[in-house]
């Protein structure tokens, strides 16, 4: 209604699950783009709150989602506040770091700023079973880290270079987002994790608190919450995959 003052509204985006491109039910930029765009565009929210509960996943999708949130926050001049639930680790922390402020529960797991690559090796087992692996490639690096062959020092060195590049990108992102809030702690970028208040102490979070009471304290008891969640596939509630 014209000339009537409306109650302040906080748009709430839930970011829960593993971060992976194209995977059903996972967090990725393609599925979240319309949700994020709508949260910033609908009405004039006084803030956008992120409910983060993710152990991480794809660094590319983490970057795309985080960049989209930051771009809209700056274009619309709307503050973004993240609230960590069980965990914001690795890529999950990348999403939380897209916010201007980060709150955590006293038991929230926060951090794990690192990169991991895991695999397995079964060449000895196959040899004992009399199975011979045959692979033909054009390009000497096309069969890097083949789990059916013994490890190759050149492959390991190449993988470590790739992991180092990804780690540097992650570190730069966190430093850009958190700036002087970060403590001078040698373990900050080693993949270490912190819980609750300890995450605040090292600068990975700003305070301990929960969404509704923090927003009411900041915007008044009449603040309203408008939730935006990714759409689930129609058959998911019926147990279909």
């Amino acid at each position: 209604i014209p000339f009537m003052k409306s109650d302040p509204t906080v748009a709430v985006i839930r970011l829960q699950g593993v971060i992976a491109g194209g995977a059903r039910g996972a967090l990725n930029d393609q599925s979240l783009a319309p949700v994020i765009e709508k949260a910033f565009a609908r009405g004039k929210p006084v803030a956008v709150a992120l409910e983060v509960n993710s152990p991480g996943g794809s660094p590319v999708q983490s970057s795309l989602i985080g960049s989209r949130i930051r771009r809209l926050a700056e274009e619309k001049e709307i503050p973004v506040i993240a609230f960590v639930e069980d965990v914001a680790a690795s890529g999950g922390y990348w999403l939380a770091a897209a916010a201007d402020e980060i709150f955590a529960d006293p038991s929230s797991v926060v951090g794990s700023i690192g990169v991991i690559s895991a695999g397995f090796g079964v060449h000895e087992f196959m040899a004992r079973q009399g199975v011979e692996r045959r692979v033909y490639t054009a390009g000497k690096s096309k069969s890097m880290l083949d789990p059916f062959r013994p490890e190759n020092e050149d492959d390991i060195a190449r993988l470590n270079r790739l992991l180092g590049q990804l780690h540097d990108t992650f570190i730069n992102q966190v430093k850009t987002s958190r700036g002087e809030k970060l403590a001078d702690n040698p373990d900050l970028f080693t993949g270490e994790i912190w819980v609750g208040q300890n995450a605040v102490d090292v600068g990975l979070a700003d305070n301990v608190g929960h969404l509704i009471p923090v927003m009411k304290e900041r915007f008044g008891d009449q603040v309203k919450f408008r939730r935006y969640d990714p759409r689930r596939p129609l058959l998911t509630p019926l147990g279909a995959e």
Side-chain angles (χ1 to χ4, degrees), residues 15 25 35 38 48 51 60 62 65 85 103 111 123 133 136 142 147 175 179-180 184 186 190 207 231 236:
L15 302 174
V35 176
K38 187 181 295 184
V48 170
E51 290 180 324
V60 173
S62 301
I65 297 167
E85 295 185 349
F103 286 80
H123 61 282
R133 170 75 163 167
Y136 307 95
K142 288 298 292 183
K175 286 183 175 180
E180 296 180 355
D184 184 13
T190 63
N207 215 326
R231 287 188 176 183
T236 298

Side-chain angles (χ1 to χ4, degrees), residues 193-214:
I193 58 173
W194 285 266
V195 176
Q197 182 60 47
N198 288 336
V200 177
D201 294 339
V202 297
L204 294 180
D206 295 285
N207 215 326
V208 171
H210 297 156
L211 191 153
I212 292 178
V214 169

Side-chain angles (χ1 to χ4, degrees), residues 177-191:
S177 300
R178 300 297 295 170
E180 296 180 355
K181 295 179 180 179
L182 295 173
D184 184 13
N185 188 311
D187 293 328
L188 204 56
F189 303 120
T190 63

Side-chain angles (χ1 to χ4, degrees), residues 1-240:
I1 301 175
F3 310 115
M4 286 191 65
K5 185 177 180 180
S6 59
D7 294 328
T9 299
V10 173
V12 182
I13 304 172
R14 184 158 189 82
L15 302 174
Q16 176 169 320
V18 174
I19 305 166
R24 181 184 293 271
L27 298 175
N28 54 67
D29 186 60
Q30 181 178 13
S31 63
L32 284 172
V35 176
I36 297 171
E37 298 280 347
K38 187 181 295 184
F40 279 93
R42 185 177 178 185
K44 180 65 175 177
V46 292
V48 170
L50 309 176
E51 290 180 324
V52 181
N53 197 358
S54 173
S58 164
V60 173
Q61 294 302 319
S62 301
S63 177
L64 291 173
I65 297 167
S67 296
R68 184 179 297 276
I69 292 171
R70 283 311 319 153
R71 174 177 59 79
L72 290 169
E74 293 167 6
E75 287 180 0
K76 305 287 186 180
E77 297 183 342
I78 298 174
V80 180
I81 306 163
F83 293 87
V84 180
E85 295 185 349
D86 299 273
V87 59
S90 196
Y93 184 73
W94 194 316
L95 300 185
D100 299 291
E101 296 178 74
I102 302 175
F103 286 80
D105 180 86
S107 299
S108 296
V109 174
V110 180
S112 188
I113 301 170
V115 183
I116 185 172
S117 174
F120 59 89
V122 296
H123 61 282
E124 292 184 1
F125 172 79
M126 291 178 62
R128 288 196 299 269
Q129 302 303 313
V131 179
E132 180 183 2
R133 170 75 163 167
R134 296 174 180 173
V135 178
Y136 307 95
T137 67
K140 65 179 182 179
S141 297
K142 288 298 292 183
S143 186
M144 187 181 78
L145 298 173
D146 187 334
F148 300 101
R149 292 181 174 181
E151 282 190 306
N152 180 290
E153 291 185 1
D154 290 339
D155 288 351
I156 296 172
R158 184 182 179 206
L159 176 62
N160 285 332
R161 288 196 300 271
L162 296 175
L163 294 178
Q165 292 170 10
L166 293 172
H167 194 198
D168 288 342
T169 300
F170 195 176
I171 292 172
N172 290 335
Q173 171 65 22
V174 174
K175 286 183 175 180
T176 300
S177 300
R178 300 297 295 170
E180 296 180 355
K181 295 179 180 179
L182 295 173
D184 184 13
N185 188 311
D187 293 328
L188 204 56
F189 303 120
T190 63
E192 182 62 86
I193 58 173
W194 285 266
V195 176
Q197 182 60 47
N198 288 336
V200 177
D201 294 339
V202 297
L204 294 180
D206 295 285
N207 215 326
V208 171
H210 297 156
L211 191 153
I212 292 178
V214 169
M215 294 295 91
K216 284 190 173 183
E217 180 181 357
R218 187 161 300 186
F219 300 113
D221 290 337
Q222 302 306 311
V223 65
K224 298 185 180 302
F225 300 92
R226 184 175 291 142
R227 292 187 169 273
Y228 299 87
D229 298 316
R231 287 188 176 183
R232 292 173 175 265
L234 180 62
L235 297 179
T236 298
L238 302 179

